[in-house]
Amino acid sequence: MAEKASSLMFNVRRHEPELITPAKPTPREIKLLSDIDDQDGLRFQVPIIQFYKNNSSMQGKNPAKIIKSALAETLVHYYPLAGRLREGFGRKLMVECTGEGILFIEADADVTLHEFGDDLPPPFPCLVELLYDVPGSSGIIDTPLLLIQVTRLKCGGFIFALRLNHTMSDASGLVQFMTAVGEMARGQRSLSIQPVWERHLLNARDPPRVTHIHHEYDDLEDTKGTIIPLDDMVHRSFFFGPSEMAAIRRLVPAHFHRSTTSEVLTAYLWRCYTIALQPDPEEEMRVICVVNSRTKLNPPLPTGFYGNGIAFPAAISQAKKICENPFGYTLQLVKQTKVDVTEEYMRSAADLMAMKGRPHFTVVRRYMVSDVTRAGFGLVDFGWGRPEPVYGGPAKGGVGPIPGVTSFFVPFKNRKGEKGIVVPTCLPTPAMERFAKLMNEILQNQLLVSAEENKSVFIVSAI
């Protein structure tokens, strides 16, 4: 049984999990991951979920069968994904290309897409049914690198859910693979983008040398109990449409008017997060911004590269400065942090991994933000059209093996038809209540300033 917040109950009938192997023989070899890929903070499984409506042109066709066949064809090109991770000296990860395959589950649910409701933002309480955790499959070493479940719905639509070993790909790389599966499912004979391994491009130098300060990997003691236990977390999503973003931008100083939506929203959420947690005023707080560094290198990473090409720069400040200073203070920190990501920064990060045992991101007093609005999850088409305007993207916030607050920025259309960004996040229950209340109060105050123009007051939607 699965239960949605609206008390929706339904049954899911699953076939036995099976291994999908490449449709043709593939090379048997060892491929090393990069020193960005195999850092400790990426050694976890990340869930993705895509909802697809019924398409009359695909009447009578079985999405599970079509996608299963397309996966086998795609794995001929992406054959490392059909292998297994091994760990060598110094915790170095490598793929043994065994061709053993990825896990696939075919399922049926006695529910329609309409019954899920008008809005389909994360978190999804039914995720455990729509993405079954096959016993023994969730480890990082010696297990399938991908798990996919296709669940057919009564209405003719279906749900595509996927779990990826994050060491293999970032969001851009994963969408590239999913797009390739979609092309094969739609009958294309060749891929529009050929996959490129080339993980050595993000390996440590010889000899390695750390030339930047990497606060994201600071080894901090939790002196005041600020690491949040996983069992104390509540998940919730917030929608930021045109009205909400306009209200936040009224807080932006004139000299920062060209700041991106991602920068403004990151700074705003970090400030609200800090206030909501009520830390000691002297405590140092961090926000880690996931930055796509593909174009930061010279030359840029090649088209088709599907590894982790991301950096994790951290802005840092005392809690009292975040809470007491105008919004421009926090925004400036976020903007500068992103500017700091250069080719040398990436080289330095790879060198740090090799020199210091591939450390995990700090989880003490930190907030992590990953903007996937341009990753392309909503463009993946298996023949039934795009998941838009339903939902396609990360299945929840706060993913990862170690406690810590993580938010994704996901493109979304709400029940009113407004396009914006939905932000799944997680916090302890009391902090989440303060977080939501604080955001609503700030937005309401800002929108009241322009009530004459807007003729109404909009409040951020807590979904």
Side-chain angles (χ1 to χ4, degrees):
M1 285 285 197
E3 182 175 359
K4 188 73 173 169
S6 61
S7 300
L8 173 66
M9 303 289 291
F10 59 90
N11 291 301
V12 174
R13 299 175 300 281
R14 290 186 298 269
H15 295 205
E16 285 296 314
E18 57 184 308
L19 286 170
I20 306 300
T21 58
K24 299 175 183 178
T26 54
R28 297 297 190 264
E29 57 188 356
I30 298 290
K31 285 184 171 292
L32 298 178
L33 295 190
S34 78
D35 287 309
I36 297 297
D37 288 324
D38 63 9
Q39 57 186 295
D40 208 31
L42 294 179
R43 298 187 185 203
F44 70 96
Q45 306 280 353
V46 58
I48 302 295
I49 194 164
Q50 313 265 113
F51 293 81
Y52 291 89
K53 292 182 176 179
N54 178 37
N55 186 329
S56 58
S57 69
M58 302 298 284
Q59 188 71 31
K61 295 186 178 180
N62 182 347
K65 181 179 180 181
I66 289 174
I67 291 173
K68 183 163 64 172
S69 176
L71 283 167
E73 294 292 338
T74 307
L75 286 173
V76 173
H77 305 275
Y78 287 83
Y79 64 90
L81 290 175
R84 300 291 183 267
L85 278 185
R86 316 296 188 205
E87 190 174 56
F89 178 76
R91 303 183 68 223
K92 184 65 187 173
L93 291 182
M94 62 199 75
V95 181
E96 184 177 355
C97 300
T98 62
E100 292 175 74
I102 64 174
L103 275 171
F104 183 84
I105 304 167
E106 182 176 348
D108 292 277
D110 60 353
V111 67
T112 66
L113 192 58
H114 176 73
E115 290 177 82
F116 279 88
D118 295 329
D119 282 336
L120 280 173
F124 303 100
C126 49
L127 184 62
V128 67
E129 293 292 339
L130 300 174
L131 186 58
Y132 176 59
D133 182 12
V134 177
S137 70
S138 59
I140 300 303
I141 310 297
D142 303 327
T143 59
L145 298 172
L146 277 167
L147 183 153
I148 293 172
Q149 180 173 327
V150 177
T151 305
R152 294 180 292 261
L153 306 176
K154 285 197 308 181
C155 58
F158 66 95
I159 298 171
F160 176 93
L162 174 150
R163 193 186 70 193
L164 168 74
N165 185 321
H166 204 331
T167 62
M168 292 299 294
S169 297
D170 57 17
S172 297
L174 175 57
V175 169
Q176 181 182 305
F177 171 77
M178 292 169 63
T179 299
V181 176
E183 290 175 345
M184 294 291 100
R186 299 197 309 274
Q188 288 187 205
R189 295 187 177 183
S190 60
L191 302 181
S192 59
I193 298 177
Q194 288 296 322
V196 174
W197 184 258
E198 302 295 324
R199 307 294 173 107
H200 67 277
L201 295 174
L202 288 174
N203 274 350
R205 294 170 287 200
D206 186 14
R209 53 190 185 278
V210 178
T211 55
H212 279 254
I213 296 174
H214 295 277
H215 286 303
E216 61 271 33
Y217 302 112
D218 285 347
D219 185 11
L220 303 176
E221 290 187 18
D222 185 25
T223 56
K224 301 193 178 183
T226 51
I227 292 181
I228 304 167
L230 284 176
D231 59 3
D232 188 35
M233 301 288 257
V234 57
H235 293 260
R236 199 167 173 182
S237 282
F238 297 89
F239 177 73
F240 296 86
S243 298
E244 289 81 12
M245 287 309 305
I248 297 173
R249 282 194 174 274
R250 292 183 184 279
L251 301 170
V252 176
H255 59 286
F256 284 151
H257 75 280
R258 291 190 177 181
S259 300
T260 67
T261 296
S262 180
E263 291 167 345
V264 171
L265 192 52
T266 296
Y268 178 71
L269 291 170
W270 184 30
R271 190 170 190 271
C272 290
Y273 158 81
T274 301
I275 297 171
L277 279 185
Q278 298 181 338
D280 184 300
E282 303 299 322
E283 290 276 21
E284 285 188 334
M285 309 297 290
R286 283 166 173 73
V287 62
I288 295 179
C289 305
V290 181
V291 175
N292 187 338
S293 67
R294 281 166 165 73
T295 60
K296 305 288 186 179
L297 305 183
N298 186 19
L301 291 175
T303 300
F305 179 87
Y306 64 102
N308 286 284
I310 46 181
F312 304 91
I316 184 170
S317 174
Q318 283 184 316
K320 65 181 180 182
K321 292 183 179 179
I322 296 172
C323 299
E324 296 172 2
N325 277 301
F327 178 66
Y329 169 80
T330 311
L331 179 57
Q332 183 177 20
L333 289 175
V334 170
K335 289 174 68 68
Q336 186 58 52
T337 294
K338 291 189 174 183
V339 169
D340 287 343
V341 178
T342 60
E343 177 169 18
E344 182 59 30
Y345 186 97
M346 289 299 294
R347 301 296 177 204
S348 176
D351 291 350
L352 184 147
M353 290 298 118
M355 292 175 66
K356 296 192 176 181
R358 313 185 191 285
H360 197 285
F361 319 118
T362 182
V363 296
V364 179
R365 302 180 297 279
R366 75 103 164 113
Y367 178 50
M368 180 179 283
V369 172
S370 179
D371 182 354
V372 297
T373 55
R374 298 183 181 181
F377 286 106
L379 305 179
V380 177
D381 180 1
F382 299 109
W384 276 258
R386 299 174 178 180
E388 297 176 333
V390 188
Y391 183 82
K396 60 181 180 178
V399 295
I402 297 180
V405 178
T406 301
S407 289
F408 293 97
F409 295 172
V410 187
F412 191 75
K413 183 184 287 186
N414 69 6
R415 61 171 61 94
K416 298 177 183 178
E418 295 176 319
K419 290 185 178 180
I421 296 172
V422 68
V423 182
T425 191
C426 55
L427 283 167
T429 302
M432 180 63 81
E433 293 173 356
R434 292 191 293 268
F435 186 74
K437 182 180 179 182
L438 177 64
M439 285 198 293
N440 284 336
E441 286 177 351
I442 294 175
L443 289 172
Q444 188 173 15
N445 289 339
Q446 290 302 311
L447 285 166
L448 282 170
V449 173
S450 59
E452 293 270 338
E453 303 172 16
N454 297 324
K455 304 299 182 183
S456 61
V457 174
F458 296 87
I459 300 178
V460 64
S461 306
I463 307 173

